[in-house]
Structure formats: structure tokens, C-alpha cells
Amino acid sequence: MSLLQRDREIILSNEYVDNFDFAEAEEFVKNASKNLFISHAFKNNKGKTLVQPRGGFPTYDKMHALYEQFSPVVDVLPMTIDSHTRLNDYGSAAKMLRLSEETETDLLNGYPLVNHGYRTTRKMVTHFDTPVSLRHGTPDARLLIELAIASGVFEIEGGPITYILPYSKNFPQDKAFLYWKHVERVCAKYSTINEPINRESFGPLTATLVPPCITIVIQIAEMMLSLEEGVKSFSVSFAQTGSLNQDLVTSKVLRKLATKYAHKIGVTDATINLVYHQWMGAFPRDKFKSDSLIDAGAMIAKMVGADKIITKTRAEAFGIPTKEDNAQAVANVQYTLNMLQGIPSFVDEEEEENLTNQVDEIFEAIFNDKADTLWRKVFNSIKNGIIDVPFSPHIINNNELITVRDKQSNIRIYKKGKLPISDKSFKYEQSKLNLGANTDSVVNQIIKDIGVML
């Protein structure tokens, strides 16, 4: 028995798992409909931006009803997991699921997949015969992804950086790298028997003034960690920055450097996709402004040639969107995307050169770390502030990098902390700013910049 299989058997012996059948799960994936694989949809829909909302309800019936609402208008169905499951607290999830079913009140903020089980969930997934994307925010997703794949969910979001630094305060970062290494190996194993399982990194991070160089470095780092374990389909992503120009530049540099660094680790046969998240910051309460923001996001996704867009709704400022809110938003985005044909391609070459240099400079420092494995190099780089995510709650994050917006709403580096960008790159960032020495004015500017869309 391999070490991977031994670990899988230990993980799936959890008391909340109902007799996991390895042979049956593998046979199911082997014979699963191609329509369930987003990797297949990407391959067969070149030039089309697939549309995916967010969404998840605690009970099977409500989740099924959500999918019925979505089915006519979406290309990819979401499966957002509840917070108890994300923290591996399956006991609390079981209790809240039971109460949700008894009272017909949603006492969980997502679908508790572990408690429903893969046999039950598979009935729903295969019924709709549409790719499903697992959205979860789980530091230790080893059990969850086993049950997701056995259910027919063949896209797994997340990673050891993007599901730790934005979401967690104390979860050990080194453990996260090892747990996600296991996830990558399971995904790679299943990818050999049918279409590839698609892995997707979470580009928005904290969704608060994250400079593009940090977003791109983290996306590519998680991609490399996945590809080196044998994954053959990976999606890098980023969120609407608030600047059209910066979005166009980010998309071009991210695509270009993702290929470059995949080749750097010797991987030339993987498919790399680009995913665009509509605005992830504070949403305007004015629904006309919300609609305009959503339309702008759809337009930019088309301009950057995104392989998939993840949508928002006009209800974002008020709470969890209803299934009707979500379906309406998706229909509107589909309409906008279909209307935008023949958009010219252009990019700011000066900005592209600067961003490319910043990413390469950071990666040079990462690869120069004395550790003997890539994950340790990346881990050390986070610990040492070479990778620094603004407004991350995690204790390992340095939080010395400070960013503000310039007059064109581009996110600029105001204080670089330990970010290993060159003097030339930093001077370029500074040249775009017009801030006084008064610290209060910088704080006020940051507050204003966080609420830029309100």
C-alpha cells in the first residue's frame, strides 16, 4: 500500500463518513459524464467566458432548488461549504443541519457536504450534469475533497496560501502546505482516469488593496505547488481591482508568467486557465450602482479574455443573496458577455513591464531561499515578509506592506516592507503617488480607497 493510500484510508475513517468505498468512487469518476468536468468545458469552449455564481444552502432540498434556479443560465454550478465544515467541525455541522431540516430555517451558511455524504450529493450533481465548483475556504480540506470528488465535483478551489492568509489567524501555515500537498496528489491521481480534475487558486485574497504583484506571485506559487504533484488543469485567478487599466495589465502578466514558471519547474503539458472575480470589496447599497459595477465586471472579464467569471449580485451589500438574486445576476452577466463581441485588445506596456519586473524580482528571492523544496521556500518567504498580504489576519503575515490608490484608482505600493522589489520598481510605484508626509492623510486615503465603490 502506498503512503498516499494509507493516509487516505486514515482520513476517510472519520466517524462522520459513511463507509467510503475507494473502488466504487474510482469507478464512478472513471465513467463520469464529461459534462461534469470543467476542464472539459474549458477545452470545448475556447473563446467563451464560462459563468459561475456563488451559492450554498444547508439542506439537500434547498441546494437542489438552487441548482434548478441556476441550471438554465449558468455554465458552472457552485457548491459553497458551510463554516463548521470549513473548520473540520463536522459534529456542529451535523447538529445545525438537523435543526435546519426540522425548522426549515437556514442555520448554516453553506452546504455541509461531509454530513450529507457523497452518495446523496452525487444524485444531485449527476442529475444536473453540469460542472460543479467546490468553494470552501478550508485550511485542511483532505476529507472534504475526497467526498467532493466522489460526489462528482471535479473543480476544487483553494490552496495553502489563499485559504490561510485571508481566512485564518492561527492555523499553522506549514501544516497547511502539507495538507494541500495531499489534496494535490489525490486530484492528480483521479486526473489520470478521465478528464483532469481542475484546481483553482483563490485570487481575491483579502480583497482589500492587494497589489497585483502579490496576487500574481501567490497565484503562480500555488499553481507550481499543484503542478509539481501531477495536476494537469489549473486555474489562476484575480479579482476586479477597481482600475480597468490595472485589470488588463494584471491579466496579461498573470497569463504570461504562469506559463513561464510552469515551464521553469519542467511542466509543459498542463492547461492553465484564467478566472476573473467580479468586485470583491465593499458593495454599494444603491442597487443601480451595484448593477453598473456588475456590468463593468462582466465587460472587463470579456476584455481580459477570462476563461471563467465568478459573479456577484445587487444584494451583496445587504446579506446573503437569494437564489433569485443570483439567477438574475447570472442572466444579466450572460447577456452582457454575449453583447460584447470583437473587443479590441490593448495593454499599457509601461505598466506591464513594471509589473512583470516586480513579480520576477519577488520570485528570484523565493527561489534563492536555501530550503530544499518549493513549499518550504514559499513558506519561508511568507514568514520573512517576501510575500506580504495587506490586511491578512494571520499571525505569520508581516503586514508591513502598505498600499493606496493613485488618481487613476490603480493600487500602488506606498511602503514596501520586506518586499524584495528593486529600487527601480519601487520608484515607479512612488512616482504615481501624490501623498503628503502626514500619516493621518495616508490613513484617511486608505479608508477612502477601501470604500472606493460605495
Side-chain angles (χ1 to χ4, degrees):
M1 181 188 298
S2 68
L3 289 176
L4 175 62
Q5 185 60 26
R6 184 203 65 185
D7 290 345
R8 294 177 72 196
E9 291 190 1
I10 293 170
I11 291 162
L12 283 156
S13 65
N14 187 287
E15 62 179 306
Y16 290 97
V17 177
D18 182 20
N19 188 28
F20 190 87
D21 188 330
F22 286 95
E24 189 277 337
E26 187 165 323
E27 189 68 16
F28 163 69
V29 175
K30 182 179 179 181
N31 296 301
S33 165
K34 302 288 186 186
N35 294 334
L36 292 176
F37 292 85
I38 194 172
S39 57
H40 181 71
F42 283 139
K43 184 170 58 181
N44 283 8
N45 289 278
K46 289 293 183 184
K48 173 179 169 55
T49 300
L50 304 181
V51 178
Q52 177 196 307
R54 292 175 172 83
F57 288 97
T59 66
Y60 181 92
D61 289 345
K62 285 192 175 182
M63 198 68 186
H64 197 283
L66 177 69
Y67 283 1
E68 285 184 328
Q69 189 86 34
F70 280 156
S71 192
V73 291
V74 305
D75 301 301
V76 186
L77 293 166
M79 184 175 284
T80 302
I81 301 299
D82 70 283
S83 294
H84 290 298
T85 300
R86 297 179 193 194
L87 298 175
N88 311 112
D89 185 1
Y90 312 120
S92 294
K95 179 181 177 181
M96 292 298 105
L97 172 59
R98 185 175 66 253
L99 290 172
S100 295
E101 291 170 336
E102 290 173 356
T103 63
E104 297 186 0
T105 301
D106 298 332
L107 298 175
L108 291 169
N109 61 347
Y111 183 78
L113 173 58
V114 172
N115 301 99
H116 282 292
Y118 72 92
R119 294 177 178 86
T120 298
T121 304
R122 186 190 294 172
K123 293 176 185 176
M124 176 168 56
V125 171
T126 54
H127 172 76
F128 289 98
D129 198 33
T130 299
V132 177
S133 179
L134 188 73
R135 328 297 291 186
H136 53 110
T138 312
D140 178 7
R142 293 173 297 169
L143 175 59
L144 179 61
I145 65 101
E146 290 276 12
L147 300 183
I149 293 172
S151 300
V153 178
F154 299 144
E155 176 172 86
I156 309 295
E157 189 194 39
I161 310 170
T162 59
Y163 270 7
I164 298 293
L165 295 187
Y167 289 109
S168 174
K169 180 181 178 182
N170 295 309
F171 194 93
Q173 180 76 72
D174 52 350
K175 281 190 177 181
F177 277 107
L178 295 175
Y179 292 158
W180 278 90
K181 182 183 284 285
H182 176 98
V183 169
E184 310 299 2
R185 289 175 175 174
V186 172
C187 290
K189 179 179 174 64
Y190 275 116
S191 293
T192 62
I193 58 177
N194 198 327
E195 297 291 328
I197 305 297
N198 187 69
R199 286 278 293 108
E200 182 179 315
S201 186
F202 179 65
L205 298 167
T206 58
T208 310
L209 296 179
V210 181
C213 64
I214 290 294
T215 298
I216 293 173
V217 165
I218 290 174
Q219 289 300 291
I220 293 175
E222 287 198 340
M223 177 201 73
M224 288 191 292
L225 291 168
S226 185
L227 298 187
E228 74 172 5
E229 298 300 336
V231 168
K232 296 302 180 187
S233 180
F234 195 91
S235 296
V236 292
S237 74
F238 74 103
Q240 189 172 350
T241 63
S243 161
L244 169 60
N245 190 52
Q246 202 157 49
D247 284 355
L248 294 172
V249 172
T250 298
S251 68
K252 185 168 184 181
V253 174
L254 181 51
R255 278 193 188 275
K256 175 179 66 176
L257 295 187
T259 300
K260 170 184 172 178
Y261 284 100
H263 290 179
K264 184 176 177 67
I265 61 169
V267 178
T268 59
D269 60 345
T271 301
I272 303 169
N273 315 293
L274 179 68
V275 175
Y276 184 76
H277 292 252
Q278 289 187 318
W279 182 250
M280 291 288 287
F283 240 75
R285 297 180 70 85
D286 183 318
K287 292 184 178 180
F288 294 105
K289 290 182 179 179
S290 291
D291 287 347
S292 295
L293 182 55
I294 291 166
D295 288 342
M299 180 194 72
I300 297 168
K302 191 74 171 182
M303 293 182 75
V304 303
D307 297 300
K308 184 175 74 172
I309 182 173
I310 301 178
T311 61
K312 287 294 217 169
T313 76
R314 54 158 49 186
E316 297 294 331
F318 303 96
I320 298 174
T322 65
K323 63 181 188 294
E324 291 80 11
D325 289 330
N326 252 319
Q328 178 196 37
V330 169
N332 290 350
V333 168
Q334 290 278 26
Y335 177 81
T336 303
L337 291 173
N338 290 333
M339 185 172 57
L340 298 170
Q341 301 297 333
I343 291 179
S345 175
F346 64 91
V347 74
D348 185 326
E349 291 182 0
E350 186 180 44
E351 289 286 348
E352 180 188 351
E353 180 184 1
N354 179 62
L355 181 54
T356 300
N357 289 341
Q358 289 179 2
V359 174
D360 283 339
E361 287 157 4
I362 295 169
F363 267 120
E364 182 180 3
I366 293 170
F367 282 114
N368 283 340
D369 185 88
K370 290 183 170 57
D372 58 351
T373 59
L374 179 58
W375 81 261
R376 287 187 183 276
K377 290 177 186 288
V378 177
F379 170 65
N380 290 342
S381 297
I382 296 170
K383 191 167 57 173
N384 297 332
I386 290 171
I387 296 174
D388 195 351
V389 178
F391 300 99
S392 167
H394 201 280
I395 57 173
I396 197 175
N397 192 70
N398 276 231
N399 278 312
E400 293 178 17
L401 174 63
I402 299 175
T403 54
V404 293
R405 293 185 182 276
D406 65 17
K407 289 184 177 180
Q408 285 73 45
S409 287
N410 299 293
I411 299 169
R412 298 294 181 189
I413 297 170
Y414 173 68
K415 289 189 176 180
K416 68 175 185 175
K418 297 184 179 69
L419 212 64
I421 60 174
S422 66
D423 290 342
K424 177 184 175 183
S425 294
F426 187 47
K427 284 176 182 176
Y428 182 89
E429 294 288 305
Q430 296 289 291
S431 72
K432 301 295 182 180
L433 295 175
N434 185 27
L435 294 170
N438 188 326
T439 305
D440 289 340
S441 70
V442 175
V443 172
N444 291 335
Q445 183 66 44
I446 291 171
I447 293 169
K448 178 183 175 184
D449 290 341
I450 290 172
V452 68
M453 294 299 179
L454 298 180

